[in-house]
Amino acid sequence: MSTAVSELELTSSFRAALPELGVDWEATELPDPRLVAFNDALAVELGLTALRDDVEVLAGQRLLPGSHPIAMAYAGHQFGSYNPQLGDGRALLLGEITTAEGRLVDLHLKGSGRTPFARGGDGRAALGPMLREFVFAEALHALGVPTTRALAVITTGDRVHRAGDDVGALLVRTAASHLRVGTFEYAARLPDRSALRRLTDHAIERHHPDAADTEEPALGLLDAVVGAQAELIARWMLIGFVHGVMNTDNTTISGETIDYGPCAFMNRFDPDTVFSSIDHGGRYRYAHQPSIAEWNLTRLAESLLPLLVVEDRSNLDESVARVRAVLETFMPRFRSAWERGMRAKLGLVEDRPDDGRLFDDLVTAMRDDRADLTLTFRMLGDELRRDAQLVSAPVDHGDAVAAWVPRWRERLTAEARDTSEVVAAMDAVNPVYVPRNHLVEEALDAAADGDLDPFRELLSVVTDPFTPRPGAERYALPAPDEFDRTYQTFCGT
Ligand code: AMP
Ligand code: MG
């Protein structure tokens, strides 16, 4: 059932609960907004199909009833350094949609003009990076990774100045919310102590309602966010996703991936993989992502601490100890989520004591071979397919992975499950297609020249990642090694 635009309505519950965490603001007037990408599947899910034909509403040029756009205020640790005021420099929260199931979903614009938080920035976005966020967000979603979603990309009709002169664009994004660790860092430093309490209540109600029933809801919230982030980072690691800019303002309370800037997929396995041109120290490299998430959650814990400490601070030490105990659960929870994921990728169902070693040794073998992460798991499925005479394709692992395979085979045999069942289970979690860097670049280059076909083709392949498609073979193959080795991504989006 589709709802007409005239029947759509937004709420502004964040703005109502936390007026001090935003500034009322409106999108810049655009000379010639045109829709270049629209996510029909997401629109159906959210009851927003009517927006396909209303670019004025999508671009924030005309407001839906109930919409009171704000630029959200937040702080954040960027590459480890605290910035007390970041905020939406070029983005706006238009309001919240309520889904048919009663879920609140943020409707948000990125690239909608300068706001009071713009600092030196122009408030704008270029087409390439907005299409990039579209491809990555939708690919991660299709891979089962919690993420903000891309509803639409609109060209603005004017140019933006980046490395050169680029097509200006705007992304319409949806999210479970835009609450970040940085939102708590900001609220914790406001003179009005009630803001932090209200923010905590809002976050609990919206994302982690069970925390409301815990003895100390702020601690319950921390525990829930630690759990959500442990799950999220495990999923990134399992597919080789490198976020690239895991600042605390890019770490959500919901546990969704947010802000696809210099992100990229690691193809050939190398734990030190860094793509971002500004990440000189490799702070956000592939293998660091779990410990960085833990570091970011520690910043959240510090921000929540005032809610746990009584006026005369007599329980400070005890409160710190309680918060620490929750933070210490991050690594075991991450590890357990990761092992669960590896077990599924390898077609195993039983939890055995030596599994951790088996999985770690595969990682080491992939590293030694510089094996392609995506292909390796898919080829393990091919081995079983060949056993069952489903395919005759040769399986071509490197030496280290090949030496590891018999141990996995033995482990599989011990479970004695039907091969076709195991293969089907593996194929459902091991993608054929991920947005490989050379294909992303090719699609974005074409888009900059006005040809959106490669973008559409790439999007259609990576949003149905588990089904091999005749004719799409090149999307399943890595670039020449040299490409990824020297590949750089940029933050100046
Ligand atoms: P990001 O790296 O996209 O998470 O952005 C970090 C911060 O920089 C946020 O406060 C953004 O709003 C701000 N920002 C990024 N690009 C621009 C821009 N072109 N104009 C204004 N603010 C920006
Ligand atoms: Mg950000």
Side-chain angles (χ1 to χ4, degrees):
M1 205 189 65
S2 69
T3 314
V5 175
S6 59
E7 293 169 77
L8 292 174
E9 225 176 297
L10 300 185
T11 55
S12 298
S13 68
F14 175 80
R15 176 177 173 272
L18 291 144
E20 59 275 83
L21 295 188
V23 175
D24 286 338
W25 207 253
E26 281 189 14
T28 305
E29 206 175 303
L30 302 178
D32 185 20
R34 281 171 198 264
L35 189 66
V36 292
F38 189 75
N39 190 337
D40 287 301
L42 178 63
V44 168
E45 199 183 308
L46 298 178
L48 298 177
T49 49
L51 292 185
R52 182 182 246 294
D53 300 317
D54 201 330
V55 76
E56 294 285 318
V57 166
L58 273 176
Q61 307 292 289
R62 204 176 80 243
L63 297 178
L64 291 171
S67 173
H68 301 282
I70 58 167
M72 290 171 83
Y74 48 84
H77 279 84
Q78 302 183 301
F79 288 91
S81 310
Y82 187 64
N83 187 329
Q85 185 166 304
L86 291 166
D88 290 331
R90 54 160 174 177
L92 290 177
L93 174 63
L94 291 176
E96 305 118 14
I97 311 146
T98 307
T99 66
E101 316 84 66
R103 209 163 30 100
L104 281 192
V105 174
D106 276 3
L107 195 59
H108 171 105
L109 301 180
K110 187 162 171 175
S112 48
R114 298 191 81 233
T115 75
F117 303 111
R119 295 171 288 157
D122 64 359
R124 315 293 302 281
L127 178 61
M130 297 305 102
L131 292 176
R132 198 164 199 285
E133 173 154 344
F134 200 124
V135 167
F136 277 94
E138 293 310 307
L140 261 68
H141 173 73
L143 292 167
V145 183
T147 175
T148 63
R149 305 286 305 274
L151 180 64
V153 171
I154 293 156
T155 49
T156 57
D158 49 20
R159 315 286 297 182
V160 293
H161 306 287
R162 294 291 182 265
D165 185 41
D166 289 322
V167 176
L170 195 144
L171 173 75
V172 187
R173 175 160 89 179
T174 68
S177 84
H178 283 80
L179 302 181
R180 312 144 189 269
V181 169
T183 317
F184 282 80
E185 293 179 284
Y186 185 87
R189 288 162 176 87
L190 288 175
D192 175 2
R193 307 305 293 171
S194 81
L196 180 62
R197 170 63 67 194
R198 276 180 282 123
L199 176 61
T200 302
D201 291 346
H202 180 82
I204 289 174
E205 187 183 332
R206 200 152 169 190
H207 300 299
H208 306 291
D210 292 348
D213 304 325
T214 54
E215 182 199 333
E216 195 69 78
L219 207 58
L221 174 65
L222 178 65
D223 183 65
V225 180
V226 165
Q229 285 288 333
E231 216 31 77
L232 176 68
I233 307 301
R235 285 166 183 268
W236 289 358
M237 301 303 279
L238 290 162
I239 56 173
F241 179 73
V242 184
H243 182 281
V245 59
M246 288 178 69
N247 294 330
T248 56
D249 52 304
N250 293 335
T251 302
T252 58
I253 299 305
S254 63
E256 286 183 341
T257 311
I258 197 169
D259 278 355
Y260 295 84
C263 67
F265 272 74
M266 171 183 78
N267 297 306
R268 287 178 173 78
F269 201 101
D270 176 356
D272 294 329
T273 299
V274 179
F275 294 113
S276 170
S277 62
I278 60 166
D279 191 359
H280 305 297
R283 179 180 171 91
Y284 299 141
R285 63 179 175 263
Y286 173 77
H288 261 195
Q289 298 187 119
S291 53
I292 290 294
E294 189 187 36
W295 192 91
N296 290 348
L297 290 162
T298 308
R299 307 287 81 78
L300 175 64
E302 286 163 0
S303 305
L304 289 168
L305 201 54
L307 298 179
L308 302 172
V309 177
V310 293
E311 190 111 22
D312 68 5
R313 296 166 78 87
S314 56
N315 68 345
L316 180 64
D317 290 349
E318 181 213 331
S319 300
V320 170
R322 292 171 76 193
V323 153
R324 263 211 189 114
V326 174
L327 288 170
E328 277 165 11
T329 67
F330 176 81
M331 280 301 170
R333 285 156 102 174
F334 161 73
R335 179 73 194 186
S336 139
W338 182 80
E339 287 191 7
R340 189 167 9 93
M342 284 295 274
R343 195 167 288 119
K345 286 172 86 66
L346 293 171
L348 302 168
V349 288
E350 291 167 19
D351 185 344
R352 300 215 174 172
D354 276 350
D355 283 353
R357 186 156 354 127
L358 182 72
F359 303 161
D360 286 340
D361 289 349
L362 173 58
V363 166
T364 307
M366 285 193 287
R367 188 195 64 198
D368 290 350
D369 287 345
R370 285 184 60 78
D372 185 88
L373 175 72
T374 307
L375 275 183
T376 298
F377 284 99
R378 207 62 201 191
M379 285 195 303
L380 291 174
D382 286 342
E383 299 225 3
L384 304 183
R385 249 184 291 273
R386 208 181 32 182
D387 289 359
Q389 275 147 24
L390 294 170
V391 290
S392 54
V395 173
D396 190 17
H397 293 300
D399 294 345
V401 174
W404 172 90
V405 164
R407 289 170 56 199
W408 166 64
R409 296 281 221 150
E410 206 176 299
R411 177 74 176 72
L412 265 180
T413 309
E415 289 197 358
R417 288 166 71 220
D418 182 59
T419 303
S420 60
E421 200 183 304
V422 175
V423 171
M426 288 176 72
D427 284 354
V429 291
N430 293 320
V432 185
Y433 309 113
V434 294
R436 291 185 182 272
N437 303 321
H438 62 298
L439 299 170
V440 172
E441 291 305 320
E442 181 189 284
L444 300 187
D445 284 349
D449 294 335
D451 177 9
L452 283 153
D453 287 345
F455 162 77
R456 294 194 179 110
E457 171 111 21
L458 175 65
L459 185 68
S460 103
V461 167
V462 299
T463 51
D464 184 13
F466 303 109
T467 320
R469 265 191 219 202
E473 289 76 14
R474 74 186 200 97
Y475 288 91
L477 298 175
D481 195 14
E482 191 54 23
F483 186 92
D484 276 331
R485 254 189 226 275
T486 54
Y487 184 60
Q488 276 208 319
T489 52
F490 299 91
C491 248
T493 56

